[in-house]
Amino acid sequence: SGYEVDVFNQAGAALEKLRSQDYALIISDLNMPGVDGRGFFETIARDFPHMTDRTGFVTGDTMGRSSQTFLRETARPYIEKPVSPKELRTFVAEILAQTEHADT
């Protein structure tokens, strides 16, 4: 779809990259080794507050109470696994459209 994508397997590596590069969008899993999606988002909110509205989540655990609470509290968009390429492209386009609308 023409997007340039950086992929990180750990939140720490992604946060380090955020210190030197700006992104149009962040998509994070909720369940990750080490720092989970909640910790990742809390760090983004603290250190990169301009990116909170540009963050969405992918999860396979929307039924878990902790995940439901977190997603409700952050009011960030999410998509449930498994995700098809078409669903992911639509998800990305919707978040980007919302952030572009908010910036104008």
Side-chain angles (χ1 to χ4, degrees), residues 22-88:
D22 201 24
Y23 287 90
L25 176 67
I26 297 171
I27 298 176
S28 175
D29 201 328
L30 279 185
N31 297 314
M32 301 181 287
V35 177
D36 65 2
R38 177 184 293 267
F40 183 52
F41 187 77
E42 289 171 351
T43 302
I44 290 169
R46 184 188 69 229
D47 296 349
F48 311 97
H50 67 286
M51 292 302 299
T52 56
D53 289 343
R54 298 174 179 270
T55 302
F57 292 95
V58 177
T59 183
D61 182 31
T62 57
M63 297 306 292
R65 183 175 292 173
S66 176
S67 294
Q68 286 178 351
T69 300
F70 172 71
L71 292 168
R72 188 173 46 254
E73 288 172 353
T74 62
R76 298 309 312 140
Y78 65 90
I79 190 168
E80 293 187 62
K81 297 177 198 175
V83 179
S84 73
K86 181 180 179 182
E87 289 171 317
L88 184 59

